[in-house]
Amino acid sequence: TINREISCLRHLFKYAVSRKAINTSPFTDEESLHYRENNQKDHFLSQEEIDRLLATTMPEWCRNVIIGILHTGMRRQEALGLQWHNVRDGFIFLHYTKNGKKRQVPIDRDLAGFLKGLKMKYGLWSKYVFCDPNGNKIKGDSCSKAVKSALKRANMHVSQPVHILRHTFASHFVMREGDLPSLQKILGHEKIEMTMRYAHLAPDYLKKSIEAMNGLTSTVDTQKSDEKVTSREEIASIGSIQSKSQDVVNG
């Protein structure tokens, strides 16, 4: 909260300088007044919680949105603004994103079947993939309230009801052996550091990555294998000679 207020004040003073209301801003780029934040996100919905949530009574459009985000990791506005012409060739093409950069999200087999059913039901009279019963675009606030109510009925209380669906997608993607660079592209993170918050869910990630180095010196190792055997034989003989020499000394 403090960081948000400091950012607001910094912006206001910067704006005041640009409007020539004041000469300089008390904030400087060299010194930061922000507290360090922990962006690590540990909580996400387990498989049991996902099943419980989807079994909860809720509007059909709300369940559709939940399923869509759980399979793609889209942000709320990306999902609600998705139109049918952006779904093709096994991908979802997102043109209006948070950072303004277009990206493609692959469609898995389960989602493909789900979207096919939605298109047969709504596609002929609504341009939106996720729409209300009248085919209209769903409002962001309405979506958040509906998802929050569904989570509450499923006995789950979270501060960011829709965003946790995106976080759940990312968490399960990594736990199911999805790689972090691919997750970065799917989620649309500008920096890999944002995606690395999920690395702790894949303890074998670095181990699998290092396996790519196998074979780098295999030729050399093969050539030296005989030498290693010979070396062991020599060591054994040296040990024998040393033992005999010691006996002579002791005698």
Side-chain angles (χ1 to χ4, degrees), residues 56-90:
T56 301
T57 301
M58 69 182 84
E60 182 183 3
W61 64 262
C62 180
R63 180 177 284 101
N64 293 341
V65 172
I66 290 175
I67 292 175
I69 296 178
L70 285 176
H71 276 276
T72 62
M74 289 186 290
R75 296 182 177 90
R76 184 187 67 179
Q77 291 306 115
E78 293 171 347
L80 300 185
L82 184 63
Q83 299 184 22
W84 284 112
H85 66 83
N86 293 324
V87 181
R88 60 185 185 277
D89 302 326

Side-chain angles (χ1 to χ4, degrees), residues 31 34 45 59 63 77 105 118 161 197 235 245:
E31 181 180 2
H34 289 87
L45 302 185
R63 180 177 284 101
Q77 291 306 115
V105 178
L118 283 185
R197 70 183 66 177
I235 291 173
S245 298

Side-chain angles (χ1 to χ4, degrees), residues 156-188:
M156 289 177 278
H157 303 273
V158 298
S159 58
Q160 296 178 301
V162 179
H163 191 72
I164 198 174
L165 302 176
R166 172 176 162 89
H167 180 51
T168 297
F169 161 81
S171 301
H172 282 274
F173 180 89
V174 172
M175 290 191 295
R176 295 179 182 222
E177 301 187 354
D179 63 272
L180 294 176
S182 295
L183 180 61
Q184 178 188 8
K185 293 180 180 179
I186 293 174
L187 294 180

Side-chain angles (χ1 to χ4, degrees), residues 3 9 18 22 31 68 88 121 134 154 165 184 218 244:
N3 284 348
L9 288 172
S18 68
I22 58 176
E31 181 180 2
R88 60 185 185 277
K121 190 170 184 178
N134 297 318
L165 302 176
Q184 178 188 8
S218 59
K244 291 179 180 178

Side-chain angles (χ1 to χ4, degrees), residues 173-181 201-214:
F173 180 89
V174 172
M175 290 191 295
R176 295 179 182 222
E177 301 187 354
D179 63 272
L180 294 176
L201 297 172
D204 295 330
Y205 174 71
L206 292 178
K207 184 178 179 181
K208 290 180 180 179
S209 298
I210 203 64
E211 293 298 322
M213 301 305 293
N214 284 334

Side-chain angles (χ1 to χ4, degrees), residues 200-247:
H200 70 285
L201 297 172
D204 295 330
Y205 174 71
L206 292 178
K207 184 178 179 181
K208 290 180 180 179
S209 298
I210 203 64
E211 293 298 322
M213 301 305 293
N214 284 334
L216 187 63
T217 60
S218 59
T219 303
V220 178
D221 289 341
T222 302
Q223 292 175 346
K224 289 187 176 181
S225 60
D226 294 335
E227 296 179 12
K228 292 179 181 178
V229 174
T230 303
S231 297
R232 285 194 293 269
E233 294 173 349
E234 290 175 350
I235 291 173
S237 64
I238 291 172
S240 177
I241 294 173
Q242 287 177 336
S243 177
K244 291 179 180 178
S245 298
Q246 189 64 41
D247 291 339

